[in-house]
Amino acid sequence: IIISNNNNNKNNGGGARSRRGISAILSATASVLTEALYLQSTNKTNGPDAGAREGTVRALFPSILSACKSNTASERKEWGRILASTIAGLCPLSAEARVALCDAIADGMPAVADGREALSGREA
């Protein structure tokens, strides 16, 4: 996996290889973290319906919120959305935590002036 290439110019495609490398890393981390959260949520030693360990969720939560709100990298935003939906589905969260997740996802979405535009795909 190529993360950085000193010869990133348009002629040799170095930038494209870097982007693919970053996408692969984000995809792999999302897969591993999603699986870890699932395994923690199904572990009966945590108690019935306990979800993932609170420490794990507390450690991931700020990074997930930041990723969902990201305006720079769509791959990072998607990483955040995957983990946000995983946490929302597998973990018992307070109302405040659920609102924070929803707000972060909504903040990262493009603004639409009229809801009809989003549904029809054309301007009203």
Side-chain angles (χ1 to χ4, degrees):
I1 298 173
I2 298 173
I3 296 174
S4 177
N5 185 348
N6 292 334
N7 298 321
N8 284 346
N9 61 40
K10 294 179 182 176
N11 295 333
N12 69 5
R17 285 196 305 258
S18 294
R19 294 294 295 169
R20 283 193 300 268
I22 292 167
S23 294
I25 291 169
L26 289 173
S27 178
T29 60
S31 297
V32 169
L33 289 170
T34 299
E35 184 68 16
L37 289 167
Y38 173 76
L39 290 174
Q40 284 185 3
S41 72
T42 59
N43 186 348
K44 298 300 179 196
T45 60
N46 292 342
D49 301 323
R53 292 188 185 112
E54 183 178 352
T56 305
V57 176
R58 284 184 183 267
L60 289 172
F61 207 78
S63 296
I64 292 169
L65 292 179
S66 173
C68 288
K69 293 179 181 181
S70 176
N71 290 325
T72 57
S74 62
E75 293 95 346
R76 184 168 185 252
K77 190 179 298 187
E78 292 306 317
W79 178 90
R81 289 177 183 163
I82 289 168
L83 290 172
S85 65
T86 300
I87 285 177
L90 294 177
C91 305
L93 298 174
S94 67
E96 293 84 13
R98 288 189 186 273
V99 167
L101 282 175
C102 292
D103 287 348
I105 291 170
D107 286 348
M109 292 185 163
V112 177
D114 186 351
R116 290 176 288 159
E117 292 175 23
L119 295 175
S120 67
R122 59 179 180 218
E123 293 186 23

